[in-house]
């Protein structure tokens, strides 16, 4: 029997498969498809201090092998998340979850992080400094190492749980940002968030997305994500959650070989709601085929 | 919600660029008219949402227009080939609400590819003892479909074409009374808005580009008087009184 | 009859379709498939002052909707290009070509540009400051606005022909680099070059590409390229050659609506050698369908 | 070079994970043994290069092993389905060069999926009046194929398996003389190198991951004594004397 368990900053996950923030809501829609307790963990929808409606419609465009979204962090706000969404999720999911936090200012992040840190259900705080879909905040925190480091420090100062900084791929050198976050005390790095992308409706002669550009993700971005995880894993010593374009157990193995400890599956959940279930079922078979007994054997083995 | 693989029973052209496709599937899955299915097509990342136009014992029927690569591919599929569908999706029309109104006729108003869901709705209303008036709008005579099918249900059907090549010339609103009591409408947004303005009450079905189609991604949210709603899950049908334009 | 002609810095092209540098050699392999005189122009293989063997094998990996290459600018050197490759190309192609120039130092670029500037056949000089596959030079010139501007000036000082700076997408803000090049006198911008990407061979547990990471391109990157062309077209007034993931006439229209004046087709030539021919044949049909009489009508129309 | 669409005549398993596929196509397109075709498969960006194993009037045969997703898909294709091929690609073996040597036997040495091109080569050599000795190497008996076909050509065939489950136990080099006069070899690189060291002259066929397969991208270049060569166009067959390991 192969062992699919992985350890993430003291949290033991039954397997490394985690739905990515924003693509799994607070779990209940997926619970209609399968028992979500099979998941390693769940990264819930990005939360801001106040409720947010998000961007105008259309928010979605299709691409070859992927999609663009400009949801713009629509969420019910941290109070509703703590008082309603998380308790409801607790009824259908009995493991720790990953809270995903966003804001427009350092204060926002700090407020939101300290409130979510207090929730028993939350195992890890994932600080999203990489959302390309919000005007102020979001990605701007993730493109400069100093700003990223300061935010990391500010959040770390008010919380007890492990803090993972979720980075943007839309930068010249991701390893610089990752190193700055590590030096500032981050417990781990989540990468990547979406690439900036665009589609134009040639009949209407205008951008498909109301917001013009949006966040591009799905299988098409896998090679970019893999390269960034690989380079970052060489640059830092803290664990990495590999995200971007994952849709199969083989992709998971590739990400772990690149240096990831766990992985998150995003857009693939939307086009096939059973993606995470399928990956979790296939993972032991693929491990056996490749002669892998424990995932820790292969972490970062591709050199 | 179910993920079903089903075989195509037939797929044929019924008007300019418009096709009717029938699948073998458990039709009991469709609970209400106005619900839709989300179709996975080989080589396309996102699914294609299409309303259920009709259902029979063991099958459902869709009517779709070729507007892009996905629907083009659908039109090339043959009897016996299989498709992967998520269904049933969306709230659908609540016909009980219409029964309860007492001020005049019920109108079913469909524009273009908003016509198909009106057919299953019409059947449901008839089964519930109602006799709605049907108004169908198209651009031109070549696009007209289903007029005969609605007539065969014994309903009063008016067709309006923009160019006047079939039925009355003009928009669906030109076939409406100044103020309709209760409307069920589906069609392009400008049509919905015009119908909204000429109706006192009713239910309107909206379209939106969708990420998931089942309520998880917030890709389709719209503002309503009762807060934001997901067109795929809380819609596609909204009550007249909650709509914000 | 629709008009597919476009004008690029004084050069009139029969159509906007140009094979991208590195994916079309010096034309002769494609001349075995079709008459290459139908092409708007040809961007020939990147040239360095000295011959270069390039990187170790394997240099190619496959991805969903694209590929990774790490050819590493293998080329016969500027002398052989001017004395042998271009004269041979002239026998099978009777229009102006685009010379693609690379180097490891400013001096390299200047030497190479001035030699190629003297070739009658060359209509435009494309300065590749974005190759992710060479250790020194290449991309490093394309990630800092000041360096990019200096190189632009240095090249402009020694040549008479229009100079297009070919930019890397692997940067935080491409418009900054483009604006710096424009201010330094560039006549146009070519974008994008490849994204940094990676694949791992999970059986061998090592990177597929000998060089570990490589340049990722093909249909998968189209939304990224489109977004960058769109944003850059708003930021500069000089013409843009839109490159990245193009494989159909509809893609060409989308790129032009985003603001490109002409386009280049790269990886798609490799998987289907008839790609450019097919696009050129389909373009008038698609224009008619969309009611476009002249491509200048739609340039940058998506707002 | 041609881009041809051709129909599959047959596609069947002939050994563990190994399939033989025959296509209807103008076989005159293949000029030399050792040339290959490059196959476009739905859903894969790059083509798959496969050597021509045999040709007959109006058809060619490939033998391929399922090693990944692309070859897995190939193995699922049925008679009558069509594939898009670029062909002929590569230089192929030059059998004239072997005729001109006078010191001893000609050896055909194939390892694993290096065996198929040896078959067309053997037929060509026989037609040219030669009678090469054939040595085939596999890991284990379940992987062995084409031994009988070579024997049916009237040639002396030795099979070596690493585990000794069929033929002699060992590598192809264990079946070779200490120094072979002229060899034609195809197989994994370590095998080629071992054969190289035990031969005076010959031609060796190499593999490489390919971008285009027709000489345009420099994705497959290797160093030789006469400068860099493209495995897809100037190869896949290299002369012994030009090889740099
Ligand atoms: C709830 C709902 C019910 C629908 N019912 C029907 C129906 O019964 N018959 C019918 O012909 N059409 C219907 N549509 C519209 C149908 O979904 C689109 O025409 C179809 O998705 C276009 O796909 P394509 O690949 O041909 O076009 P493309 O333009 O190539 O599609 C590109 C992307 O945009 C999306 N898209 C394009 N147009 C629309 C649209 N109008 N609405 C939503 N997404 C769109 C596609 O799904 C795809 O993701 C419905 C849409 C919704 C939301
Ligand atoms: C000139 C030449 C002739 C060949 N002849 C044969 C033959 O007759 N029979 C046979 O079984 N195999 C042959 N091969 C190897 C065959 O091309 C690969 O096994 C096949 O491409 C694997 O595809 P896949 O999708 O199953 O594997 P994957 O590993 O999923 O393929 C991923 C990518 O790597 C490439 N790739 C993987 N392995 C190889 C390889 N060994 N050589 C080149 N590219 C590779 C694929 O083409 C694809 O682009 C030949 C290769 C070359 C270069
Ligand atoms: C519809 C959608 C919504 C998303 N919302 C969030 C979010 O709220 N917070 C966040 O950190 N990332 C968000 N993301 C990014 C994903 O979590 C993930 O990082 C990205 O999509 C790359 O993974 P993928 O290629 O598997 O989709 C969202 C992505 C999508 C597609
Ligand atoms: C095999 C290969 C070789 C390339 N060589 C060069 C080069 O020499 N010079 C250059 O500027 N770009 C080079 N490129 C980049 C392309 O010109 C183009 O910018 C990039 O591939 C994006 O376009 P695509 O998605 O259509 O491939 C190369 C790309 C490929 C795939
Ligand atoms: S499309 Fe995903 S929530 Fe509606
Ligand atoms: S694979 Fe392109 S040159 Fe050989």
């Amino acid at each position: 029997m192969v062992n699919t368990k992985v350890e993430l900053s003291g949290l033991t996950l039954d397997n490394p498969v985690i739905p990515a923030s924003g693509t799994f809501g607070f779990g209940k829609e997926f619970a209609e498809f399968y028992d979500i307790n099979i998941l390693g963990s769940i990264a819930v929808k990005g939360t801001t201090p106040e409720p947010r409606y998000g961007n105008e419609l259309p928010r979605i465009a299709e691409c070859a092998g992927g999609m663009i979204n400009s949801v713009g962090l629509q969420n019910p706000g941290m109070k509703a998340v703590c008082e309603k969404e998380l308790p409801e999720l607790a009824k259908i999911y009995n493991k720790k979850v990953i809270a995903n936090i966003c804001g427009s200012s350092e204060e926002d992040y700090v407020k939101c992080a300290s409130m979510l840190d207090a929730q028993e259900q939350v195992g890890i705080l994932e600080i999203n400094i990489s959302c390309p879909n919000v005007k102020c905040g979001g990605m701007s925190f993730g493109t400069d190492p100093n700003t990223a480091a300061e935010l990391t420090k500010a959040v770390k100062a008010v919380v007890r749980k492990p803090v993972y900084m979720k980075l943007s791929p839309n930068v010249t050198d991701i390893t610089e940002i990752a190193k700055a976050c590590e030096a500032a005390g981050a417990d781990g790095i989540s990468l990547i968030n979406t690439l900036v992308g665009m589609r134009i409706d040639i009949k209407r002669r205008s951008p498909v997305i109301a917001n013009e550009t949006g966040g591009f993700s799905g299988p098409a971005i896998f090679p970019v994500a893999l390269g960034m995880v690989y380079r970052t894993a060489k640059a830092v010593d803290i664990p990495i959650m590999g995200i971007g374009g994952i849709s199969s157990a083989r992709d998971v193995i590739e990400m772990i070989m690149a240096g990831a400890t766990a992985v998150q599956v995003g857009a693939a959940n939307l086009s096939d709601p059973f993606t995470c279930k399928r990956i979790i079922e296939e993972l032991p078979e693929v491990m056996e085929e490749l002669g892998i007994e424990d995932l820790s054997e292969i972490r970062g083995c591709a050199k | 919600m179910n993920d079903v693989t089903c075989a195509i029973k037939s797929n044929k052209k019924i008007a300019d660029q418009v096709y009717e496709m029938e699948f073998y599937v458990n039709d009991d899955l469709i609970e209400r008219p106005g619900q839709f299915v989300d179709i996975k097509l080989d080589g396309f990342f996102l699914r294609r949402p299409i309303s259920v136009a009709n259902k029979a014992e063991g099958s459902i029927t869709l009517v779709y227009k070729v507007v892009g690569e996905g629907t083009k591919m659908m039109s090339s599929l043959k009897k016996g080939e299989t498709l992967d569908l998520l269904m049933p999706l969306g709230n659908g029309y609540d016909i009980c609400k219409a029964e309860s109104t007492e001020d005049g006729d019920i109108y079913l108003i469909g524009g273009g590819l908003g016509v198909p869901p009106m057919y299953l709705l019409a059947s449901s209303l008839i089964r519930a003892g109602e006799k709605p008036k049907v108004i169908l709008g198209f651009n031109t005579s070549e696009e007209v479909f289903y007029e005969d099918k609605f007539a065969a249900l014994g309903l009063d059907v008016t067709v309006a074409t923009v160019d006047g090549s079939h039925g009355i010339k003009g928009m669906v609103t030109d076939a409406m009374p100044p103020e309709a009591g209760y409307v069920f409408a589906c069609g392009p947004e400008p049509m919905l808005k015009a119908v909204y303005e000429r109706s006192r009450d009713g239910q309107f079905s909206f379209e939106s580009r969708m990420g998931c189609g089942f309520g998880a991604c917030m890709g389709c949210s719209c503002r309503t008087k009762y807060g934001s709603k997901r067109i795929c899950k809380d819609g596609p049908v909204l009550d007249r009184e909650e709509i914000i334009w």
Side-chain angles (χ1 to χ4, degrees), chain A, chain B:
Chain A
M1 265 298 288
V2 300
N3 179 17
T4 61
K5 285 201 167 58
V6 296
E7 207 177 289
L8 212 57
S9 306
L11 213 66
T12 302
L13 310 184
D14 293 334
N15 62 63
V17 182
I18 304 167
S21 178
T23 65
F24 213 76
F26 290 88
K28 65 173 163 270
E29 291 80 14
F30 287 87
E32 293 187 41
F33 290 112
Y34 61 89
D35 179 359
I36 61 176
N37 281 300
I38 60 169
L39 300 165
S41 180
I42 297 175
V44 298
K45 178 68 197 167
T47 303
T48 49
E50 299 304 319
R52 212 196 265 249
Y53 166 66
N55 294 321
E56 291 310 311
L57 297 191
R59 295 177 175 180
I60 303 285
E62 191 181 47
C63 313
M67 60 179 282
I68 297 173
N69 89 81
S70 77
V71 168
L73 288 175
Q74 173 166 12
N75 80 91
M78 63 181 183
K79 214 162 153 277
V81 166
C82 294
E83 290 170 8
K84 184 167 160 284
E85 303 294 350
L86 289 179
E88 276 184 20
L89 175 53
K91 291 183 204 152
I92 51 173
Y93 188 66
N94 55 33
K95 304 179 186 175
K96 300 269 183 197
V97 303
I98 297 170
N100 182 278
I101 291 159
C102 200
S104 313
S105 63
E106 189 177 298
E107 202 196 321
D108 275 3
Y109 279 101
V110 165
K111 223 166 41 187
C112 214
S114 59
M115 182 154 183
L116 282 154
D117 186 56
Q119 305 300 309
E120 228 230 278
Q121 234 173 315
V122 171
I124 287 176
L125 299 162
E126 182 173 67
I127 312 297
N128 174 8
I129 54 169
S130 46
C131 182
N133 289 319
V134 288
K135 287 243 158 55
C136 51
M139 201 162 89
S140 58
F141 285 98
T143 55
D144 173 62
N146 296 330
T147 322
E150 287 207 353
L151 189 68
T152 309
K153 270 191 210 138
V155 170
K156 278 296 285 181
V158 299
V159 304
R160 289 157 172 249
K161 293 191 170 145
V163 170
Y164 278 56
M165 302 303 286
K166 183 162 175 186
L167 305 188
S168 168
N170 304 292
V171 296
T172 307
D173 184 358
I174 196 146
T175 61
E176 250 185 69
I177 320 260
K179 282 189 286 189
C181 292
E182 180 182 39
D187 300 283
I189 303 285
S190 293
L191 55 99
I192 59 177
N193 207 313
T194 52
L195 288 164
V196 174
M198 183 183 193
R199 290 304 305 275
I200 290 169
D201 182 333
I202 58 177
K203 285 187 199 150
R204 290 194 306 110
R205 304 187 181 191
S206 72
V208 171
I209 299 271
N211 220 17
E212 302 181 2
T213 59
F216 170 37
S217 71
I221 72 165
F222 181 71
V224 174
L226 194 78
M228 292 199 168
V229 167
Y230 180 76
R231 292 176 52 221
T232 306
K234 287 188 167 179
V236 300
D237 291 322
I238 48 181
I240 294 173
M241 289 210 246
I243 317 170
I246 294 171
S247 67
S248 73
R250 283 169 202 278
D251 295 344
V252 172
I253 299 286
E254 221 171 308
M255 267 293 176
I256 296 177
M257 287 186 175
T261 298
V263 302
Q264 294 183 13
V265 178
N269 289 309
L270 308 183
S271 72
D272 175 5
F274 293 96
T275 305
C276 287
K277 181 177 198 291
R278 186 171 38 77
I279 293 177
I280 290 167
E281 285 166 359
E282 284 173 4
L283 192 58
E285 295 166 27
V286 174
M287 287 173 66
E288 264 170 40
E289 181 192 320
L290 297 169
I292 302 163
E293 274 178 32
D294 192 303
L295 293 171
S296 62
E297 287 166 31
I298 57 161
R299 183 172 321 122
C301 72
K303 292 241 168 62
Chain B
M1 255 176 308
N2 294 269
D3 185 0
V4 295
T5 302
C6 40
I8 297 171
K9 185 173 168 187
S10 66
N11 188 19
K12 55 174 195 272
K13 194 166 182 169
I14 57 167
D16 186 32
Q17 306 282 15
V18 177
Y19 292 75
E20 185 185 60
M21 187 187 267
E22 196 173 349
F23 294 98
Y24 292 106
V25 70
N26 176 4
D27 61 291
D28 288 338
L29 292 174
I30 298 299
E31 297 144 355
R32 279 187 180 188
Q35 287 188 311
F36 65 96
V37 303
D38 218 0
I39 307 177
K40 176 82 191 139
L41 297 168
D42 265 8
F44 294 88
F45 187 71
L46 295 177
R47 291 169 181 263
R48 295 316 190 247
I50 305 285
S51 303
V52 176
N54 198 5
K55 58 181 196 169
E57 182 71 38
S59 78
I60 63 166
T61 301
L62 313 177
V63 174
Y64 61 93
K65 182 170 180 177
V66 173
V67 299
E69 294 304 313
T71 45
K72 187 168 155 193
M73 183 188 178
M74 275 179 68
S75 73
S76 73
L77 296 171
K78 306 252 171 313
K79 184 179 160 160
E81 291 189 70
T82 56
L83 279 184
D84 166 7
L85 312 182
L86 292 182
M87 66 183 275
L89 300 175
N91 56 356
Y93 292 102
D94 183 350
I95 60 171
C96 303
K97 289 190 188 161
E99 286 171 305
S100 63
T101 70
E102 272 144 44
D103 53 355
D105 292 325
I106 295 175
Y107 284 86
L108 300 194
I109 304 178
L113 273 295
V115 168
M118 290 299 137
Y119 185 72
L120 181 60
L121 175 61
S123 315
S124 308
L125 284 168
I126 290 170
R127 216 169 313 126
E130 303 287 343
K131 210 171 172 197
K133 293 213 156 97
V134 178
I135 303 173
L136 310 177
F138 298 95
N139 287 310
T140 173
S141 63
E142 281 116 63
E143 294 179 1
V144 177
F145 61 87
Y146 271 30
E147 180 182 13
D148 46 341
K149 291 195 70 159
F150 281 97
L153 293 176
L155 299 178
D156 171 8
V157 186
T158 310
V159 172
T161 53
V162 176
D163 67 359
S165 54
H166 189 88
I168 68 164
K169 183 175 158 76
M171 310 292 192
V172 287
T173 40
D174 295 317
M176 283 176 73
E179 188 167 57
Y182 203 92
V183 302
F184 287 98
C186 184
E189 230 173 271
M191 179 202 103
L192 294 181
K193 184 141 195 261
V195 171
Y196 174 94
E197 279 157 8
R198 279 177 163 249
S199 57
R200 267 200 304 284
D201 199 357
Q203 297 172 47
F204 293 73
S205 180
F206 288 81
E207 284 189 358
S208 166
R209 303 224 170 199
M210 292 184 178
C212 63
F214 51 85
C217 74
M218 302 295 146
C220 65
S221 303
C222 70
R223 288 194 174 90
T224 74
K225 293 199 182 130
Y226 307 119
S228 125
K229 289 205 169 179
R230 295 160 301 180
I231 289 180
C232 70
K233 181 104 181 169
D234 311 312
V237 178
L238 298 182
D239 276 332
R240 184 181 185 286
E241 45 111 16
E242 64 184 326
I243 297 169
I244 303 176
W245 292 101

